[in-house]
Amino acid sequence: MEKLVIEGGTPLSGTVAVNGAKNAAVAILPATVLINGKCRIDNLPNISDIKLCCEILKDLGAEINFISDEEIEIDCTNINKTEVPFEITRKFRASYYFIGSLLSRFKQAKVGSPGGCNFGSRPIDQHIKGFELLGATVESEGGVITADTEGLIGNRVYFDIVSVGATINVMLAATLAEGTTVIENAAKEPHVVDLANFLNTMGADIRGAGTDIIKITGVPELTGGSTYSIVPDQIEAGTYMIAAAASRGNVTITNCITKHLDSISAKLIEMGISVVENDDGDEITVSCTERPTKASIKTMPYPGFPTDMQPQAGVLFSISDGTSYITEGVFDSRFQYTDELNKLGANIKVNGKTAVFEGVPSLTGCPVTACDLRAGAALIIAGIAAQGTTEVYGIEYVDRGYQHIEEKFNKLGAKIKRVIVD
Ligand code: EPZ
């Protein structure tokens, strides 16, 4: 186990480059199962969820060659298994994408239930609805999801709720199905688009990703043979944007796609924070010299304000001038981090799906514990902004989604040390 020890109070300044998107990479790696051949993927983030995907692929029989920390070559031609054990699927959420990809190529899958951050109930009924509409029989019991089919047939799938995971899983299943699938009420996140682009690069026929109607015309097989570069991480970029603002700093984030950050930029500008994009749309500079003013957010599916930026926004609201509000519009409960911020001197009250932030002039460092990936990132931002020393426990959550987070922050002037605790 490890913790980060943060000496706070230093405004961040300088330039930081964003890595490839975790939530795109954890969909694209399982998607390589569909390919009867080799492919190369680069701009992969070097994070623990990627290592888990590679562990599963190797166990299934794929050959993986690491060209570098961020580029790999994968050959799934000789995959000889369609089972993924619970011991590994329980460690992260995206393990469930192996259901869609194994079912699509091998007409069967037996995959342990997924893990992932605890935001209350996270059912997979829409995934199952989609698989069944395509002609699969799906059983979910004893911590294992079993799916099989005589052959998947394209169909219309109208989701009852906008779901990133279900959109991705049904896209994977439909890619090699016979006929055409139309997904309606689809998720529009950048990582959904990135998966569609990857699959099309490898020979699929997917139209409309990024809108709420996605049309997938099944093809007999994917032959691969290309290299694909993962889209920059919208949430990592947003995390550094908010860290710049919360520390009253001046930071340029590079290797990003500013269009994906519009909801975050708009909110920061509303709070009196300077946000400047470059003409090429791949760099954004955030600077803050005055105390931000209050604001309100309701998290929504893309292009709304991302739920994965909610804890980070909560830190900024905690030290802004006035009363701010966050309503969590995607998950049942995603405010566990506010108890930790209150230990640092914030004044937050949670009432169901809404949190009320009475802004305080500053936070004061103390030991806190991360309860999930983005909450961990938020507590690091809080420690950087706070006066004094903050110790953030539960860093294993953060390592799931951020590559070398303390190194990147220290290059911007933060004072963070990673310490092993027993
Ligand atoms: C993905 O989770 C992301 N994870 C999450 O990011 C992100 O918070 C979430 O999308 C929303 O953007 C990955 O991509 C690996 P959903 P997912 O299905 O797919 C309900 C991070 O920090 N729902 O879009 O699980 C669900 O309970 C992580 O990187 C059903 O009811 O999210 C939730 O309330 C945290 N039935 C809402 O839909 C279903 O079958 C949205 O969930 C599926 C979902």
Side-chain angles (χ1 to χ4, degrees), residues 15 63 208-209 231 304 373 392 395 420:
T15 298
E63 288 167 37
V231 70
L373 160 58
V392 182
I395 285 308
I420 294 173

Side-chain angles (χ1 to χ4, degrees), residues 29-264:
L29 287 174
T32 62
V33 166
L34 295 176
I35 302 170
N36 191 9
K38 281 184 186 174
C39 71
R40 281 196 177 195
I41 301 167
D42 69 19
N43 201 33
L44 271 175
N46 186 5
I47 55 177
S48 54
D49 276 15
I50 298 309
K51 295 182 174 66
L52 290 170
C53 282
C54 291
E55 196 180 318
I56 291 172
L57 285 165
K58 278 187 194 159
D59 185 61
L60 290 172
E63 288 167 37
I64 298 184
N65 173 18
F66 285 85
I67 314 289
S68 71
D69 267 356
E70 293 169 6
E71 183 176 1
I72 58 176
E73 182 181 75
I74 299 181
D75 185 347
C76 289
T77 308
N78 300 316
I79 280 189
N80 50 30
K81 271 174 75 177
T82 56
E83 297 194 15
V84 186
F86 179 70
E87 297 79 67
I88 191 161
T89 61
R90 57 178 286 278
K91 294 179 180 175
F92 66 127
R93 184 83 188 156
S95 53
Y96 58 18
Y97 293 143
F98 285 96
I99 305 169
S101 57
L102 289 167
L103 180 65
S104 191
R105 175 145 173 235
F106 299 103
K107 300 186 173 52
Q108 63 183 28
K110 187 172 183 180
V111 178
S113 302
C117 301
N118 177 11
F119 303 138
S121 128
R122 296 180 77 177
I124 63 166
D125 57 302
Q126 298 299 300
H127 301 238
I128 293 170
K129 168 182 173 176
F131 295 145
E132 288 176 340
L133 282 168
L134 295 182
T137 304
V138 186
E139 300 289 333
S140 175
E141 56 185 278
V144 177
I145 298 131
T146 306
D148 57 73
T149 180
E150 295 301 313
L152 296 175
I153 310 285
N155 200 346
R156 178 181 183 236
V157 178
Y158 195 103
F159 284 131
D160 305 328
I161 185 167
V162 175
S163 162
V164 167
T167 301
I168 286 174
N169 238 338
V170 171
M171 190 191 291
L172 292 169
T175 293
L176 300 180
E178 188 185 322
T180 298
T181 295
V182 178
I183 300 175
E184 296 179 83
N185 201 18
K188 299 180 271 194
E189 273 68 6
H191 29 290
V192 172
V193 176
D194 210 38
L195 173 67
N197 291 341
F198 168 77
L199 290 169
N200 285 337
T201 305
M202 301 299 160
D205 182 354
I206 300 171
R207 306 267 178 273
T211 73
D212 47 15
I213 298 180
I214 303 176
K215 183 177 171 187
I216 302 128
T217 304
V219 294
E221 69 168 354
L222 298 188
T223 51
S226 309
T227 295
Y228 189 78
S229 190
I230 303 279
V231 70
D233 195 317
Q234 165 206 30
I235 304 302
E236 187 191 11
T239 300
Y240 288 105
M241 290 171 73
I242 290 210
S247 66
R248 301 278 180 87
N250 183 330
V251 174
T252 295
I253 294 109
T254 62
N255 185 38
C256 64
I257 296 178
T258 55
K259 175 71 189 146
H260 293 163
L261 306 168
D262 282 351
S263 62
I264 304 162

